[in-house]
């Protein structure tokens, strides 16, 4: 079978010092090369790791744009697979005369829900290439609907659902995880410490639990633009002795933390939450999820089945959901854990890659 050659483009790609930075791009690349019989990533243009300052960031982007243009001109490929569309749009516009019909676009939350004026400007530029895309890949039905509202010129047939690169169930699984029946409740939060991610809601919930003498341990794994605000609120609420903070970790290290949690808390308030893969990773480890009813989260989180759903507008929602979880019998918690694991099977990386492969193959007929 002749391979379909892909040129991968992304302004984010992980490094040892930034292990979560664009990790879904690396996972897709590795998943295609491992599981796909008909797709092959022949080369990539990426920005590796976070920049230490604005000067370094500008230099990285100039090199990224130049490398993208060079590879578009010099390589033989069937499709250009673009992640984070808005931030890759400039070289694609420059080369638009030669790539029509060859673009597969994978937009993320900030592509549809820009967070500043510059993002809005880039989205306007992106509209030109999005309307000409061969395929658009989205992770959830929610995100498909949001995309089609914003880009009505793109036909529904060109928008396919494939949840990024899925989850590697060889790594994220329930093996060696033990149900904890004694000791303080152990809660986990794994995400960027950024606006709208709900880290502040999580901390305030923990403060309320402490004030009501509920025994708990909490882990926060992440960093981001609001990390200083996070530590200030931590000190203000006097929670330092109750919360273990870690920066974002490589997946191999993250697994053991997931498996130690009794419940995973995902209190996002962002409409751009296109999927929320961390919730699925937790479920794959048998951990029920307490999550908000926003974005793509509700496509896999089912209230009182594999976790609890609360209104993102309810500041008390996490607390009330934690109380519901604590009221469950041990058998009910075990059943919820099993349901969580079953949910994760739908996002198995191999299955997701097959879906993507099939969509690309059919689009060429």
């Amino acid at each position: 079978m002749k391979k379909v050659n892909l040129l991968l483009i992304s302004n984010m790609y992980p490094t040892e010092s930034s292990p979560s930075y664009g990790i879904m791009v690396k996972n897709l690349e590795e998943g295609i090369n491992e599981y796909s019989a008909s797709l092959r990533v022949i080369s990539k243009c990426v920005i590796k790791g976070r920049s230490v300052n604005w000067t370094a960031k500008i230099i990285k982007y100039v090199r990224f744009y130049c490398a993208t243009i060079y590879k578009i001109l010099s390589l033989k490929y069937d499709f250009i697979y673009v992640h984070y569309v808005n931030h890759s749009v400039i070289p694609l516009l420059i080369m638009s005369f030669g790539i029509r019909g060859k673009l597969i676009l994978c937009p993320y939350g900030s592509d549809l829900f820009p967070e500043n004026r510059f993002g809005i400007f880039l989205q306007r530029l992106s509209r030109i290439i999005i309307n000409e895309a061969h395929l658009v890949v989205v992770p959830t039905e929610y995100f498909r609907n949001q995309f089609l509202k914003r880009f009505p010129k793109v036909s529904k047939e060109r928008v396919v659902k494939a949840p990024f690169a899925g989850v590697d169930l060889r790594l994220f699984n329930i093996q060696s995880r033990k149900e904890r029946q004694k000791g303080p409740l152990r809660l986990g939060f794994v995400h960027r410490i950024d606006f709208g991610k709900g880290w502040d809601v999580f901390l305030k919930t923990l403060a309320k639990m402490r004030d009501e003498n509920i025994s708990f341990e909490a882990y926060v794994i992440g960093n981001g633009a609001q990390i200083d605000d996070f530590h200030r609120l931590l000190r203000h609420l006097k929670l330092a002795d109750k919360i273990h903070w870690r920066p974002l970790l490589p997946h191999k290290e993250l697994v053991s933390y997931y498996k130690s949690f009794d419940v995973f808390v995902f209190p996002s308030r962002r409409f751009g939450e296109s999927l929320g893969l961390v919730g699925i990773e937790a479920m794959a480890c048998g951990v029920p999820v307490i999550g908000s009813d926003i974005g793509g989260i509700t496509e896999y989180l089912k209230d009182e089945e594999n976790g609890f759903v609360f209104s993102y507008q309810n500041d008390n929602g996490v607390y009330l959901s934690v109380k519901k979880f604590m009221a469950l019998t041990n058998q009910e918690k075990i059943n919820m854990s099993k349901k969580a694991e079953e949910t994760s099977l739908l996002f198995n990386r191999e299955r997701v890659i097959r879906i993507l492969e099939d969509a690309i193959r059919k689009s060429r007929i």
Side-chain angles (χ1 to χ4, degrees):
M1 180 185 295
K2 185 180 178 181
K3 293 273 189 176
V4 176
N5 292 326
L6 304 176
L7 170 60
L8 187 65
I9 294 177
S10 172
N11 72 315
M12 297 173 67
Y13 198 84
T15 61
E16 187 173 341
S17 59
S18 303
S20 65
Y21 189 72
I23 185 63
M24 287 181 285
V25 180
K26 182 180 181 182
N27 288 343
L28 180 77
E29 177 189 15
E30 293 177 348
I32 286 174
N33 290 336
E34 180 174 3
Y35 294 119
S36 176
S38 63
L39 305 178
R40 174 173 55 194
V41 177
I42 59 165
S43 187
K44 60 179 179 281
C45 295
V46 296
I47 293 179
K48 294 185 176 181
R50 295 185 181 276
S51 302
V52 293
N53 54 52
W54 275 102
T55 301
K57 189 171 187 175
I58 291 170
I59 292 171
K60 279 187 175 184
Y61 267 91
V62 171
R63 289 175 176 171
F64 170 58
Y65 290 165
C66 290
T68 299
I69 292 172
Y70 173 76
K71 289 194 175 185
I72 287 175
L73 286 171
S74 62
L75 296 181
K76 292 183 178 181
Y77 49 83
D78 297 293
F79 293 106
I80 304 171
Y81 198 115
V82 185
H83 291 261
Y84 303 101
V85 179
N86 289 355
H87 288 85
S88 304
V89 68
I90 292 176
L92 298 179
L93 283 174
I94 293 172
M95 300 304 300
S96 60
F97 63 89
I99 60 177
R100 183 168 295 177
K102 292 187 176 183
L103 288 175
I104 298 175
L105 305 179
C106 182
Y108 286 71
S110 59
D111 291 320
L112 266 61
F113 298 88
E115 298 169 4
N116 51 49
R117 291 181 180 179
F118 185 60
I120 293 172
F121 169 72
L122 290 178
Q123 187 187 65
R124 289 172 180 166
L125 291 181
S126 298
R127 188 174 298 275
I128 299 170
I129 63 164
I130 287 173
N131 289 337
E132 298 294 331
H134 179 75
L135 282 179
V136 177
V137 182
V138 296
T140 57
E141 198 62 38
Y142 162 79
F143 212 60
R144 187 209 299 266
N145 293 335
Q146 293 296 324
F147 177 86
L148 290 171
K149 284 180 183 178
R150 287 160 177 76
F151 302 99
K153 290 185 180 181
V154 180
S155 65
K156 293 181 180 180
E157 293 73 24
R158 285 193 286 150
V159 183
V160 300
K161 189 173 82 168
F164 297 128
V167 174
D168 186 353
L169 297 184
R170 296 169 301 184
L171 181 63
F172 295 97
N173 54 62
I174 63 169
Q175 293 177 16
S176 75
R177 180 179 186 265
K178 297 180 179 179
E179 294 290 338
R180 298 174 65 253
Q181 297 183 7
K182 295 182 179 181
L185 181 69
R186 191 171 292 169
L187 306 96
F189 175 99
V190 179
H191 221 314
R192 298 198 317 274
I193 309 298
D194 282 346
F195 177 78
K197 290 297 185 181
W199 58 268
D200 51 336
V201 177
F202 184 56
L203 293 189
K204 290 173 183 176
T205 298
L206 298 178
K208 185 169 185 177
M209 291 172 63
R210 178 204 56 203
D211 293 344
E212 297 200 5
N213 295 317
I214 297 174
S215 180
F216 70 89
E217 291 179 26
Y219 288 80
V220 174
I221 301 175
N223 45 27
Q226 292 189 314
I227 190 63
D228 292 338
D229 296 328
F230 166 81
H231 286 295
R232 275 193 290 271
L233 185 58
L234 194 66
R235 290 191 296 270
H236 175 72
L237 296 175
K238 299 179 181 179
L239 284 169
D241 62 328
K242 290 285 190 178
I243 295 179
H244 306 275
W245 173 77
R246 303 285 186 274
L248 285 169
L249 300 170
H251 276 172
K252 290 182 179 179
E253 296 179 33
L254 191 56
V255 171
S256 61
Y257 283 95
Y258 278 132
K259 291 182 178 181
S260 72
F261 300 155
D262 295 313
V263 66
F264 181 80
V265 181
F266 196 178
S268 178
R269 293 180 169 182
R270 295 174 75 146
F271 289 101
E273 202 69 68
S274 58
L275 176 64
L277 208 58
V278 289
I280 301 167
E281 291 170 353
M283 286 186 176
C285 296
V287 182
V289 173
I290 292 174
S292 51
D293 61 345
I294 200 167
I297 299 171
T298 55
E299 290 201 22
Y300 61 84
L301 180 57
K302 304 304 177 186
D303 193 39
E304 299 187 1
E305 291 186 19
N306 52 18
F308 292 97
V309 180
F310 65 93
S311 170
Y312 75 94
Q313 297 175 307
N314 184 357
D315 291 339
N316 212 30
V318 175
Y319 174 77
L320 295 175
S321 296
V322 168
K323 294 282 282 185
K324 288 179 184 178
F325 179 79
M326 294 177 65
L328 297 176
T329 65
N330 287 334
Q331 187 57 52
E332 287 172 333
K333 290 177 182 177
I334 291 171
N335 293 342
M336 188 170 280
S337 173
K338 289 179 179 178
K339 285 287 186 181
E341 184 198 9
E342 289 172 8
T343 300
S344 72
L345 300 179
L346 298 173
F347 299 87
N348 180 13
R349 178 163 301 158
E350 183 175 1
R351 179 178 183 270
V352 171
I353 295 298
R354 303 284 188 219
I355 292 171
L356 178 63
E357 179 181 48
D358 188 54
I360 294 175
R361 180 182 59 80
K362 289 180 178 178
S363 73
R364 303 186 79 204
I365 298 175

